[in-house]
């Protein structure tokens, strides 16, 4: 028997996703649950990042992970091994989550006792950027092998994120045409307030900055 | 002045994309133009693969490239440097191309005199898999850094492709948890007829198999 549940969510019946997302944000605020919407291309390292994040923070707060996927439960299986609560959300072929789909997951999961919930969105740089999930903050991971031109090609995604983790920095010597300066400049041009963090979830290099960002955001959220 | 045109395509007005795709396929067949729909995640190496493919084949056939992107013209700019005809298609935020959007590109481009046209689809493993573009064949690129579990997570994409190029094989020593055997087995389980080719567009290793696949497919298409 698996130690995580799998639920199938249905497309929202609400016309106005933005208003619905705002309602969900207020519901989460009332229970002091910080929801981080984590987005990236397929294979940028969301699950590896999550595993290391859980390892660093599970002693200080109650964490839950909602894994959204079109199919499969590879990621929920990986996360359930870390000892935190996990749920697998199947989107039924949909390429993104909207606020009501997120709420269906949240309600089934039960987040009242959790401080920090990560929603691992579908691996896709296009559609998830168009739908506010009701999350407290948006994070994205761009991995070095994908190239430093991605902000030029997927500008909306980079515009809506509060933090961009540049992952797999341990491979910068292999992908030597990737310029840290160029990618940071392109991101900040689209989104001057974005926090840009260079790290490797595999080796742990630079990872403390990411952990500090999360810690600070949650602290401010719970106090305000 | 740029030596490529940029066009903005509009979402199809046709209800039945599958029937429309079939019509486009017949139109292309009548002019003996082979259309390859090339799909992948962002950053898997579509443009680098294309540049090496053009280099290998431009002496034997007339080639054109249609670059679809939500925004930017980074790729059309790169391709226009290779000396073949290129056009940039902007999807107006859409995450995929359907058959009518492809036709709008084809008509604007003018493909009657071309033997081989590559449609570089939007970087996305989800939505492009759901819309038949009217292409002669579907190809996808999976890059080693993305991981060998991608067929489990994006099964539809792997199911509809005639050929899967596993790219960036020069980094297999860095991403040493990537199993060539596992990825091939997972792809063939979804799609027993798929051709799976291991290569690196950067170094050229294994690339001849990809070129041979294209050459054979075009030869058969033009004879039949």
């Amino acid at each position: 028997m698996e130690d995580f549940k799998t639920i199938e969510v249905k497309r929202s019946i609400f016309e106005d996703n933005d208003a619905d997302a705002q309602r969900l944000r207020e519901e989460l605020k009332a229970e002091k649950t910080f929801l981080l919407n984590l987005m990236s291309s397929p294979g940028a390292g969301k699950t590896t990042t999550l595993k290391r994040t859980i390892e660093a923070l599970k002693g200080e707060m109650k964490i839950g992970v909602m894994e959204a996927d079109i199919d499969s439960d590879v990621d929920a299986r990986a996360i359930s091994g870390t000892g935190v609560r996990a749920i697998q959300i199947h989107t039924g072929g949909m390429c993104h989550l909207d606020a009501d789909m997120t709420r269906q997951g949240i309600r089934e999961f039960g987040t009242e006792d959790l401080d920090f919930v990560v929603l691992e969105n579908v691996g896709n740089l296009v559609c998830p950027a168009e739908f506010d999930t009701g999350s407290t903050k948006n994070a994205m991971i761009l991995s070095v092998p994908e190239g430093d031109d991605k902000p030029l090609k997927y500008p909306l995604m980079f515009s809506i994120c509060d933090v961009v983790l540049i992952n797999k920095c341990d491979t910068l010597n292999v992908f030597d045409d990737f310029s840290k300066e160029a990618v940071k400049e392109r991101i900040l041009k689209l989104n001057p307030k974005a926090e840009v963090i260079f790290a490797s979830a595999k080796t742990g290099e630079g990872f403390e900055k990411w952990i500090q960002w999360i810690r600070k955001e949650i602290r401010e959220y719970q106090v305000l």
Side-chain angles (χ1 to χ4, degrees), chain A residues 10-136:
Chain A
K10 288 177 189 66
R11 189 195 285 254
S12 173
I13 51 160
F14 294 109
E15 288 272 315
D16 187 346
N17 182 63
D18 285 346
D20 190 37
Q22 196 50 39
R23 274 197 299 277
L24 179 58
R25 215 167 353 256
E26 285 158 18
E27 290 160 25
L28 289 166
K29 181 76 190 171
E31 53 179 67
K32 296 212 180 226
T33 300
F34 184 101
L35 179 65
L36 186 70
N37 176 23
L38 183 61
M39 297 172 284
S40 82
S41 294
K46 290 191 293 301
T47 310
T48 309
T49 298
L50 262 179
K51 284 167 76 176
R52 191 176 277 273
T53 305
I54 290 165
E55 204 48 54
L57 292 172
K58 71 179 179 185
E60 351 175 346
M61 55 183 80
K62 285 193 181 153
I63 305 175
V65 175
M66 295 164 56
E67 290 287 347
D69 264 303
I70 293 176
D71 210 338
S72 95
D73 53 15
V74 181
D75 291 340
R77 202 176 294 268
I79 295 299
S80 75
T82 65
V84 303
R85 214 152 83 212
I87 192 171
Q88 179 72 53
I89 298 178
H90 281 168
T91 64
M94 290 279 285
C95 50
H96 66 276
L97 291 174
D98 62 22
D100 191 58
M101 290 161 92
T102 304
R103 183 187 285 105
Q104 291 170 50
I106 291 271
R107 292 299 158 243
E108 185 71 32
F109 196 28
T111 55
E112 299 81 353
D113 63 323
L114 298 176
D115 303 302
F116 179 37
V117 175
V118 184
L119 173 64
E120 191 181 317
N121 215 313
V122 180
N124 182 335
L125 289 191
V126 187
C127 320
E130 292 169 23
F131 293 85
D132 188 342
T133 57
S135 64
T136 317

Side-chain angles (χ1 to χ4, degrees), chain A residues 180-201:
Chain A
K180 289 168 79 171
E181 295 69 35
V183 79
K184 187 165 182 176
E185 189 184 316
R186 286 166 184 160
I187 294 168
L188 294 179
K189 193 173 169 194
L190 290 163
N191 184 355
K193 288 184 180 170
E195 188 86 24
V196 181
I197 298 169
F198 295 90
S200 164

Side-chain angles (χ1 to χ4, degrees), chain A residues 132-151:
Chain A
D132 188 342
T133 57
S135 64
T136 317
K137 295 282 173 178
N138 290 321
M140 80 162 285
I141 301 177
L142 173 71
S143 62
V144 166
E146 293 172 71
D148 60 17
D149 61 347
K150 293 302 160 290

